Amino acid sequence: MSTTVVRTDKAPAPAHTFSQGIRKGPLLQVSGQGPMDPDTNTYIGAGDVRVQTRRTLENVKAIVEAGGGSVEDVLMFRVYLTARDDFTAMNEVYGEFIQENVASGALPCRTTVFVELPHEVMLVEIDALAYVP
């Protein structure tokens, strides 16, 4: 089974020793993405989980597309939030994004956990697993 490193300029370059995504056969794993604008390489939406969630999801989508898939192909999103109070706002933005990108109505699975994230400005981080035949 072949392994392919997935890379796109439409999402932030990885800051450390990992890939944006790895495709092994039909499975595509997207590394955790945050609210970084790929054009400016800066975090956006300080204090605004809605803005951060949307940017983060767009970054994940760009990597899935670079790997040959679409949001329709995502089996699972994992959402990491720094504050329980941000869940409702994140969930609303997430729901809008899924509605826009999953026309089939076959909703991907999701897990949400509350954690500390590596950069103080980050309120959310999201990764994804997709099946891309």
Side-chain angles (χ1 to χ4, degrees):
M1 188 177 307
S2 66
T3 300
T4 304
V5 174
V6 177
R7 174 91 170 90
T8 179
D9 292 336
K10 294 180 181 177
H16 303 287
T17 55
F18 56 84
S19 298
Q20 286 175 319
I22 289 287
R23 184 166 173 179
K24 191 168 195 95
L27 293 179
L28 170 60
Q29 176 65 54
V30 176
S31 289
Q33 297 297 303
M36 183 174 277
D37 182 321
D39 294 330
T40 63
N41 246 5
T42 59
Y43 288 102
I44 65 164
D48 188 339
V49 75
R50 290 177 184 277
V51 168
Q52 288 197 6
T53 299
R54 186 62 188 213
R55 177 72 260 165
T56 300
L57 286 165
E58 292 296 341
N59 291 342
V60 170
K61 178 182 175 181
I63 297 165
V64 169
E65 289 176 347
S70 73
V71 177
E72 286 271 2
D73 299 313
V74 173
L75 300 171
M76 176 76 161
F77 285 101
R78 284 171 293 268
V79 178
Y80 308 89
L81 287 172
T82 60
R84 190 174 305 275
D85 291 343
D86 286 339
F87 179 82
T88 300
M90 176 282 299
N91 198 47
E92 288 172 3
V93 173
Y94 174 88
E96 292 165 3
F97 177 84
I98 294 300
Q99 186 174 14
E100 293 166 13
N101 290 281
V102 182
S104 70
L107 304 177
C109 297
R110 188 182 87 192
T111 296
T112 304
V113 295
F114 301 95
V115 299
E116 289 188 33
L117 292 171
H119 297 281
E120 191 173 318
V121 71
M122 291 176 69
L123 302 175
V124 62
E125 181 174 2
I126 301 172
D127 69 45
L129 176 65
Y131 179 82
V132 184

